[in-house]
Amino acid sequence: MVPPCFQTHDPGTFIRSFEPFGAAMNFPRLFAPLDLGHTTLPNRILMGSMHTGLEDKASDYDKLAAYFAERARGGVGLMVTGGIAPSIEGWLAPFGGRLTMPWHVARHRKLTRAVHAEGGKLCMQILHAGRYGYHPLSVAPSKIKSPITPFTPRALSSRGVERTIGDFVRCARLAQDAGYDGIEVMGSEGYLINQFLTARTNQRNDAWGGDAAKRMRFPVEIVRRTREAVGRDFIIIYRLSMLDLVENGQDWNEIVTLAKAIEAAGASIINTGIGWHEARVPTIVTSVPRAGFAWVTKKLKGEVSIPLITTNRINMPEVAEQILASGEADMVSMARPLLADPEWPRKAQAGRSERINTCIACNQACLDHVFQKRRASCLLNPRACHETELRIDPAPARKNIAVIGAGPAGLACASTLAERGHAVTLIDQASDIGGQFNYAKRIPGKEEFHETLRYFRHRLEDTGVTVKLGQTADAASLAGAGHDEVVIATGITPRRIHFPGSDDARVLSYLDVLAHNKPVGQRVAIIGAGGIGFDVAEFLVEHPPSATLDISRWTREWGVNMQLDTRGGLAPAKPETPAREVWLLQRSEGRPGARLNKTTGWVHRATLKAKRVNMLGSVNYERFDDQGLHITVDGKPQVLPVDNIIVCAGQEPNRALADTLTTAGIKTHIIGGADVAAELDAKRAIDQGTRLAATL
Ligand code: FAD
Ligand code: NAP
Ligand code: SF4
């Protein structure tokens, strides 16, 4: 049975499940202060460390200060910066952020001053990448290359280990000089400290390797010597890898022994780390169940007496409160949810959690950007990390503006225009807002998209947008309506394709399946292996309800051992039998899915592989008849004996209305899919809608 707060909120019932605005005690455990001895945190919400790309250049620290200040104003109890290297060897990438010299302190003071001015608290994360360093200077306990970087690290000498500990301590002292409230020692996700802790990456036979007791000396000495250097009145968070999710990772007894030693060495708080970056189990993407790893932190409760923070896929106050109420942790960490909505804590405390812009864990504008060496932002909140540049100021003059289309582009545009003071009418031909998000939310593992629609429903109401549903806008109806300007956000039409038999009734579009619930047979070919082709394949092979809603079922499918009695917490994966036999096809060469997003594409590919989906590239579509779909692959003919074909062959802009309005002399702007359908996603749609609205 899934606890109610883990279920996707039905828009109708969501509001009823919360106390009204201003209620006295909302989420009492989440908003209980946490006494750390020398200081008290106002609540149990940690904004976890998240690399934004602004840490790397001194010239970006004003922007970073504005980013943190906005979140401090939002009421978060404690924040942690993105990882800062304690040495050049410890860089994640060349010229990444580091705090190694006294003259680096000034830029960090900008952050601490901005946060303290808003009444917030900020810790700096010290991250040594070890063999994950994407540069030729990387070091590690042993000379063993990681599977995710091209550089083989140099093995640290014994003196090198001592020097590295000294680097951590010096970095912590400089952080103290910069005015931080504390530091976080990054001991998880497979970075240097984690590399010392397992025989997988530590094959030394000196005082720093050989057995578990020697392997753990490195982190314990870092914490002990740091505490000595910074004194008692400074927070030290230790991020402890509680579930490595890699072969030959730590076992549970080693983890408990390490936690106790870290407490004895002087840490104030232990934060949870889940999975090395090279792990083949997803840990934060949207198809991971909410709070899907809080049970790991709970296992450590009672073993140490300092507070424990849990993390991963916690995005709503009901989930956080339940974790604290059930004793799984003392505090919850959320990074991306505060990127999506800096006012998350204040809204929750005021009993307005239905107003939270909920992180959908898509990674599209945050982690994917970081991997592309671009500045992070948020698909739902393009202002994230652009606070000083993308400003939503009051409009100089109130205009009467119509927005046609209530998909992501139109929703973002209409609500931002109204927030700025314009009179806005939002028109959609459908009976509900959301556009294609109404199809996306039906995909197993994309249940979070419901939350975005719930958020926008409230935002339209709060900003006073007039919403007209079930009305098809046309030039005639718009011409005499007195609008100063019209924004066209009418989206796309699915691309139709033609080959002999393609007009057969058994050839469906993805809209037939996701919007019109047309029946689909047991054997199906999907034409087109883009984002929608993959999503439709997942929809067809999964037995509802989705495994995302059930932690035990999900861990079984992905091979996570909830008993924690194997090294790394791994178990043989037991994927469920697929609901259908599916072929996923593309014309281009190479493996389908190669163009999916960096941090999530591998999860989609692994999911379909586990469900035995046949993925083929270099396909020519010849004809469809009673035998099935006739194709040639590299010139060789094949017949796929399928009952149905589903076409997911991309999209074309739906902009006929824009063309007519422009001809009629009405001032028109075009956004989202109506503007450019190729490679359109919701990130671009929302960004374009928001940016246009900020300027009108
Ligand atoms: P749409 O969402 O297409 O909205 C257009 C709206 O205009 C519709 O509501 C339509 O009814 C209305 N309209 C059209 N003509 C008229 C008219 N004449 N009068 C009144 N109303 C009109 N993107 C991501 O970034 N990440 C994902 O994970 C993701 N998953 C997806 C999964 C699926 C199954 C699908 C189908 C799409 C997914 N997308 C995803 C793509 C994303 O949904 C689109 O990029 C986005 O919806 C485009 O926004 P839009 O506002 O431009 O258009
Ligand atoms: P897409 O990513 O452009 O993929 C279209 C697919 O159709 C490709 O595999 C293409 O490959 C094939 N195709 C194109 N023209 C064809 C033709 N004439 N005949 C046969 N096949 C053809 O588009 P989409 O899948 O429709 O997705 C739309 C947008 O939604 C995407 O841009 C994506 O960003 C977004 N989306 C994102 C996610 C996500 O998780 N981030 C999920 C869903 C959708 P070949 O040309 O090689 O056959
Ligand atoms: Fe969350 Fe997606 Fe925004 Fe990242 S981009 S913060 S995952 S909603």
Side-chain angles (χ1 to χ4, degrees), residues 190-230:
Y191 291 117
L192 180 73
I193 291 179
N194 226 176
Q195 292 157 25
F196 266 90
L197 288 167
T198 75
R200 172 187 177 85
T201 40
N202 180 349
Q203 295 175 359
R204 307 174 70 95
N205 48 21
D206 61 359
W208 307 101
D211 59 24
K214 287 186 187 162
R215 288 197 297 266
M216 74 177 212
R217 282 190 64 224
F218 182 64
V220 173
E221 281 305 301
I222 288 173
V223 174
R224 191 181 65 74
R225 294 184 208 178
T226 301
R227 176 55 79 201
E228 260 174 32
V230 297

Side-chain angles (χ1 to χ4, degrees), residues 364 405 407-409 428-429 435-436 440 446 449 473 489-491 535 672-673 680-682:
Q364 285 177 236
D428 201 296
Q429 64 196 12
Q436 293 176 61
K446 287 198 170 176
F449 284 61
T490 45
D535 275 358
L680 171 81
D681 59 14

